[in-house]
Structure formats: structure tokens, C-alpha cells
């Protein structure tokens, strides 16, 4: 019997659980086979995957390689290189009072993992966690986003051809199907998406005491001061902001700068946009499109009453939305009250670093925070006086491509992090193991009955342990 990749197939989870219980997923060899097969799928079927990403998001194939296929392939490579070492038990020192004994931790797979992915990087955000879950020896149900239907369909078609269907299944669908999945018992749920659904996921998980990882979003600020090359800064910001037409969880959401910096920076941003998108983003094959009409309408509404310094043009039919820079945006404007998740960069004028830090701290903790400064003191203050999932100095977005850096949010931007070794840890239980020989029985010194002599000995012992 194999797990089917259909929506209404109630036995999917029990089939996977039975495979897990039978030990199908446990061996190192099985894990490596799955990871290699996943990588082969990315290599052999990259044309179909790129087509699907283009159909869903107008993604240029080069961008798909850079931000979707390549990120997952890099994760898999890194994991294959280090997995054996990561899985080795780690020895832990034993307190003298317990000697002779040995202690160690070992990672054990959790069981059946559910991975729920969003639409904006529909391949990367599905497969990067899946690679971690498989490497950790779990069975996996993957639920791609229904809002990226072409990518969802290509995953449902390809995954059963490459991965072991006894232990890996794709369930396509939307709210109804996800709700049905969430009613079942999993051993870990990994969700990427918005905080409202994050809360639904956590509530469903609580019923079964299932641990969750929530990869959420938020408003990631970018701070620029007058100590840096503003032309180079503008290029980096425009690249990170307008990639995937701004639909990136770690995109710079808004920019904080003083009047003097903002005045100089805006013309550089205009030049950078022109440079990146062949002089005209509308006709450039390097620029993406908005995922659907709902998002397009929401983003259009955010421009109302704002000062547009560049962009603002859009086409409802093709869902083209020009890279847009808004300036002198009031701190209470609607565009500052929600995660933008589109190609609009509002500039909020600040009086300096103190004001910028106070403003960042007045909001929820962001997924990422970026700063362009060559002042060591400014960098130190940003690191120590603000809280965010990650910090990028001099470059936005790219931290998530470093497999050794845990990727995740804090507070409203999420809980738990993954990538590289962190992925293995979140999808495993760290089991503590203590072994002590029966002879000599040193413990008899602390066994009852408690005589006065023993009490003195125990008091001395406990003082030494403190
Ligand atoms: P989405 O609408 O595709 O939803 C994500 C998943 O949740 C989908 O698989 C969907 O089927 C499921 N879902 C939706 N409604 C549900 C419900 N009521 N019950 C159960 N499941 C439901 O994606 P989205 O949420 O619009 O994604 C955008 C958000 O995700 C942004 O806030 C963005 O910042 C965040 N995000 C975070 C990361 C990260 O790594 N931290 C990455 C990408 C996106």
C-alpha cells in the first residue's frame, strides 16, 4: 500500500505512520537516498519547476534558480556533507557525584511531520523544511499552497516519482483540506505563512500537544545613515525589495532615514530600479507579477494619499505593479500598519539613530532588520537595542542562503528556526541517555535510611555540586 497524493485520502497519515513505526525512515541510508533523490528531481525536472514558478509568479528562471531551486539544492548539499556528524551522539560530562557513569544526547526522529507552505516561494518554503524532516528520519506530509497552483501541481506530480511514497505524501488543497489535515495527529507541524493562520495551526496542534515551528512575517525595517555609499546601498535595497515583486517574507518592508539621507538616496533608488529592470520593469523579463487580484487590490489601496517618488504604475489585467518608492510617509499611514508584501517601499523620515531604534521597538519584532552603516557604534546599538529574527548589515535577504545560520523569527515573526543543523534539531527529539554500571554501587552512599552521618555527607556533596 502506498500513500496517495490526493486531497481527500483519509488514510494518508495512518499509512505514513505505519511506515514510520516499521522503521522505513530510520536508517541513515534511507535518509541519504531521499535527499539525493530530491536533489535529482531539482536537477532533472528544473525546466518544469521553472515553468510552474513562472506561471504562478512570473518568476524569471534565473531568479527561480537563485531563490528557490538553488536554495533547496544548497541545503541538501550542506546536509549531505554534515549529516553523519550531526547524527552522532554527543557526550556530556557527568557530575563527580555520579561517577563512574557516562552521559550523552542522541537525536531521534519524531514521527510524521506536516509541512504547510505559502505561495510566495512555493518551492523553497515547501522543500527546504521537507529536506530537514527527511534528513532527521521522519515521514512527511507536504501541503503546498493552493495560491501557487502550478507549483502545487508539479510537486504533486514529481514527488511520488522521486521520493519513497511509503513515507512521503503531497496533499494538495486549500483551507478545507488543511483543516482536515490539522485535525489529525502529527509529531511536528512546520508552518510558513501569516500570523492569523499561524494561530489556527498552533491551536490545532495544541489538541495533540504537537510541537510547532511557525515561520511568519512582519515589517522588516532597513536603516540607512550617511556613512555609506548611497548608490551601492540603493542597489542592494532595490534588489532585496523588488525581487519576486516584493513578495518576500524577509524583504525590506520600509526604510528609515534622516531628511538629508532620504533626499540623496531616492534618486539612487530610481537609478537602481532602472538598472535592475532594463530601464522598464513592465517589459523586463527580470521583474515578477503580483500573485492574485486580491493582493493586487490590497497593494493598490496602500498607495492612496501617499507621495510617490517613483513607480505607482500598474496594470490590473497582468497584475503588473511597478517598483514603487513612497516618501515622507506618516508613521500612522495604512502602509505602515501592515506587512506590505509587495513592491512598495515607504520611506519614513527619522531624526537619527535614536529615533529609528525607538520606532523599530514600538512595533512587533520583525523577521529581519537591515542596516547600512559603517559606524561600529551604530551597528552595536542596532544589535543590542532591537530584537528581530535576524540582522543583515549591508545586505538584505541573503542571510537565509547561509545554511549554517538558523533561519526563523521571534515574537510575532515566528517561533523556532531551521536550515542546516537547526533543521535536524527541530525535526528530532534530543534524547538524553545516562549509563551507570551496577558495580561499584557508589549510590549506596545516598540511599535511605538517612543517618546523621549520611545527612552530613549529602549536605557536603550538594554544596560541592552547586
Ligand atoms: P498562504 O495564503 O499560501 O497560506 C499559507 C498556507 O496556509 C497555505 O498552505 C494555505 O493553504 C494554508 N492556510 C490558509 N488559510 C488556512 C486556514 N484558515 N487554516 C489552515 N490552513 C490555512 O500564504 P500567506 O499566509 O499569504 O503567506 C504570506 C505570509 O507568510 C506573509 O506574512 C509572509 O511574511 C509570511 N512568510 C513567512 C516566511 C518565513 O520564512 N518566515 C516565508 C514566506 C512567507
Amino acid at each position: 500500500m502506498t500513500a496517495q497524493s490526493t486531497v481527500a485520502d483519509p488514510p494518508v497519515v495512518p499509512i505514513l505512520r505505519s511506515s514510520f513505526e516499521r522503521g522505513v525512515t530510520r536508517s541513515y541510508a534511507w535518509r541519504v537516498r531521499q535527499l539525493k533523490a530530491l536533489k535529482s528531481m531539482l536537477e532533472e525536472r528544473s525546466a518544469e519547476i521553472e515553468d510552474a514558478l513562472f506561471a504562478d509568479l512570473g518568476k524569471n528562471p534565473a531568479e527561480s534558480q537563485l531563490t528557490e531551486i538553488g536554495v533547496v539544492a544548497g541545503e541538501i548539499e550542506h546536509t549531505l556533507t554534515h549529516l553523519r556528524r550531526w547524527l552522532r551522539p554527543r557526550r556530556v560530562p557527568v557530575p563527580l557525584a555520579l561517577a563512574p557513569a557516562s552521559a550523552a544526547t542522541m537525536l531521534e526522529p519524531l514521527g510524521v511531520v506536516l509541512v504547510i507552505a505559502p505561495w510566495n516561494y512555493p518551492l523553497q518554503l515547501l522543500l527546504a523544511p521537507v529536506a530537514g524532516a527527511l534528513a532527521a528520519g521522519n515521514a512527511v506530509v507536504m501541503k503546498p499552497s493552493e495560491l501557487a497552483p502550478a507549483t502545487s501541481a508539479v510537486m504533486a506530480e514529481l514527488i511520488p516519482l522521486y521520493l519513497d511514497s511509503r513515507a512521503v505524501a503531497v496533499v494538495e488543497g486549500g483551507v478545507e483540506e488543511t483543516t482536515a489535515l490539522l485535525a489529525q495527529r502529527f509529531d511536528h507541524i512546520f508552518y510558513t505563512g501569516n500570523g492569523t493562520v499561524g494561530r489556527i495551526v498552533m491551536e490545532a496542534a495544541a489538541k495533540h500537544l504537537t510541537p510547532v515551528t511557525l515561520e511568519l512575517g512582519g515589517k522588516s525595517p532597513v536603516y540607512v545613515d550617511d556613512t555609506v555609499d548611497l548608490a551601492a546601498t540603493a542597489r542592494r535595497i532595490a534588489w532585496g525589495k523588488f525581487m519576486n515583486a516584493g513578495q518576500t517574507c524577509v524583504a525590506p518592508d520600509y526604510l528609515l532615514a534622516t531628511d538629508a539621507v532620504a533626499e540623496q538616496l531616492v534618486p539612487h533608488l530610481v537609478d537602481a530600479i532602472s538598472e535592475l529592470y532594463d530601464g522598464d520593469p513592465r517589459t523586463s523579463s527580470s521583474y515578477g507579477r503580483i500573485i492574485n487580484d486580491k493582493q493586487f487590490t490590497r497593494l493598490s489601496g496602500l498607495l492612496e494619499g501617499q507621495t510617490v517618488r517613483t513607480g505607482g504604475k500598474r496594470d490590473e489585467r497582468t497584475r503588473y505593479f511597478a517598483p514603487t518608492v513612497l516618501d515622507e510617509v506618516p508613521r500612522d499611514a495604512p502602509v505602515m500598519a501592515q506587512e506590505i508584501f509587495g513592491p512598495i517601499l515607504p520611506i519614513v523620515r527619522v531624526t537619527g539613530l535614536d529615533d529609528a531604534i525607538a520606532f523599530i521597538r514600538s512595533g512587533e519584532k520583525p523577521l529581519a532588520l537591515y542596516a547600512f552603516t559603517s559606524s561600529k557604534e551604530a551597528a552595536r546599538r542596532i544589535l543590542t537595542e532591537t530584537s528581530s529574527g535576524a540582522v543583515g548589515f549591508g545586505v538584505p535577504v541573503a542571510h537565509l542562503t547561509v545554511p549554517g545560520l538558523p533561519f526563523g523569527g521571534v515574537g510575532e515573526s515566528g517561533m523556532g528556526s531551521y536550515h542546516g543543523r537547526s533543521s535536524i534539531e527541530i525535526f528530532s527529539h534530543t534524547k538524553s541517555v545516562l549509563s551507570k554500571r551496577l558495580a561499584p554501587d557508589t549510590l549506596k552512599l545516598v540511599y535511605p535510611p538517612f543517618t546523621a552521618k549520611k545527612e552530613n555527607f549529602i549536605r557536603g556533596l550538594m554544596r560541592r555540586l552547586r
Side-chain angles (χ1 to χ4, degrees):
M1 196 161 47
T2 59
Q4 296 296 301
S5 51
T6 55
V7 168
D9 198 355
V12 154
V13 179
I15 290 170
L16 265 50
R17 186 167 297 289
S18 144
S19 300
F20 177 77
E21 295 301 341
R22 281 183 285 118
V24 167
T25 64
R26 290 228 165 205
S27 73
Y28 177 75
W30 184 88
R31 303 180 196 198
V32 167
R33 265 202 311 279
Q34 301 312 303
L35 291 176
K36 287 187 171 165
L38 201 53
K39 188 144 176 284
S40 301
M41 181 189 89
L42 295 175
E43 282 160 8
E44 292 163 14
R45 311 305 279 261
S46 70
E48 283 150 271
I49 295 170
E50 286 165 14
D51 286 352
L53 291 166
F54 182 79
D56 286 331
L57 288 143
K59 255 185 222 204
N60 184 289
E63 188 168 309
S64 291
Q65 283 294 335
L66 190 71
T67 64
E68 302 253 21
I69 298 168
V71 174
V72 181
E75 269 291 314
I76 294 174
E77 276 295 321
H78 181 74
T79 305
L80 284 171
T81 307
H82 299 287
L83 187 60
R84 203 181 271 285
R85 184 167 53 81
W86 291 339
L87 294 177
R88 266 188 219 132
R90 283 179 161 183
R91 287 184 81 85
V92 171
V94 175
L96 205 60
L98 262 185
S102 68
T105 59
M106 60 175 281
L107 296 177
E108 71 175 21
L110 291 171
V112 184
V113 167
L114 172 62
V115 175
I116 305 175
W119 52 265
N120 64 328
Y121 287 85
L123 182 95
Q124 186 214 134
L125 298 173
L126 183 71
L127 296 187
V130 165
L134 294 173
N138 297 286
V140 186
V141 177
M142 39 180 123
K143 216 302 285 171
S145 177
E146 72 281 15
L147 300 182
T151 311
S152 177
V154 88
M155 287 297 98
E157 183 203 332
L158 297 182
I159 291 289
L161 300 179
Y162 282 84
L163 298 187
D164 184 346
S165 297
R166 294 172 301 169
V168 184
V170 181
V171 174
E172 289 191 272
V175 175
E176 191 189 327
E177 291 77 9
T178 317
T179 306
L181 276 175
L182 285 172
Q184 302 183 62
R185 180 176 173 176
F186 289 92
D187 301 288
H188 193 100
I189 301 177
F190 187 103
Y191 168 80
T192 305
N194 67 77
T196 308
V197 177
R199 285 167 169 81
I200 295 173
V201 168
M202 206 167 165
E203 224 176 294
K207 290 206 180 75
H208 302 289
L209 275 186
T210 298
V212 293
T213 303
L214 300 179
E215 299 287 340
L216 310 177
K219 291 183 84 62
S220 298
V222 53
Y223 171 74
V224 182
D225 72 15
D226 60 2
T227 63
V228 287
D229 174 343
L230 292 179
T233 296
R235 258 195 312 276
R236 288 272 166 93
I237 294 174
W239 170 72
K241 175 73 193 185
F242 301 116
M243 160 192 303
N244 203 28
Q247 302 162 114
T248 303
C249 57
V250 284
D253 185 275
Y254 64 93
L255 196 151
L256 297 170
T258 59
D259 289 342
V261 171
E263 287 305 334
Q264 290 178 63
L265 187 63
V266 169
H268 289 303
L269 283 168
V270 174
D271 289 349
I273 291 166
S274 173
E275 220 176 275
L276 294 175
Y277 302 113
D278 309 307
D280 183 3
R282 187 192 294 265
T283 52
S284 168
S285 63
S286 301
Y287 188 64
R289 294 296 182 265
I290 304 304
I291 184 82
N292 57 31
D293 294 342
K294 189 175 156 203
Q295 292 296 329
F296 185 88
T297 308
R298 179 184 65 82
L299 289 165
S300 298
L302 296 179
L303 299 187
E304 268 167 40
Q306 298 301 323
T307 308
V308 175
R309 293 289 293 265
T310 186
K313 295 201 181 72
R314 47 206 192 271
D315 175 3
E316 209 174 330
R317 196 181 52 80
T318 58
R319 293 193 303 279
Y320 164 75
F321 199 116
T324 299
V325 177
L326 307 177
D327 199 4
E328 297 187 77
V329 173
R331 298 177 185 207
D332 59 355
V335 73
M336 293 305 295
Q338 56 177 273
E339 179 182 3
I340 297 168
F341 221 55
I344 305 171
L345 180 67
I347 301 178
V348 174
R349 305 280 185 107
V350 290
T351 54
L353 183 60
D354 285 343
D355 191 19
I357 288 176
F359 183 69
I360 293 166
R361 289 176 63 123
S362 70
E364 297 293 352
K365 294 179 178 178
L367 186 56
L369 190 162
Y370 305 114
F372 291 79
T373 179
S374 51
S375 156
K376 286 210 168 84
E377 176 58 8
R380 185 196 64 75
R381 289 195 55 199
I382 286 163
L383 277 178
T384 55
E385 295 178 28
T386 66
S387 176
S388 56
V391 172
F393 288 115
V395 63
V397 180
H399 59 280
L400 74 80
T401 64
V402 182
L405 284 178
F407 177 67
V410 54
E412 277 287 317
S413 56
M415 61 179 72
S417 43
Y418 72 123
H419 285 185
R421 187 185 190 121
S422 304
S423 291
I424 310 304
E425 286 168 356
I426 55 165
F427 291 120
S428 302
H429 165 58
T430 304
K431 185 152 76 180
S432 295
V433 183
L434 175 68
S435 310
K436 182 164 173 60
R437 273 182 287 145
L438 279 170
D441 194 1
T442 48
L443 286 184
K444 70 178 178 234
L445 297 169
V446 296
Y447 290 157
F450 297 118
T451 58
K453 203 171 145 196
K454 262 193 189 167
E455 187 181 335
N456 270 341
F457 171 75
I458 289 170
R459 283 186 195 284
L461 186 68
M462 297 323 283
R463 265 199 302 275
R464 275 186 33 219
L465 290 182
R466 277 200 288 270

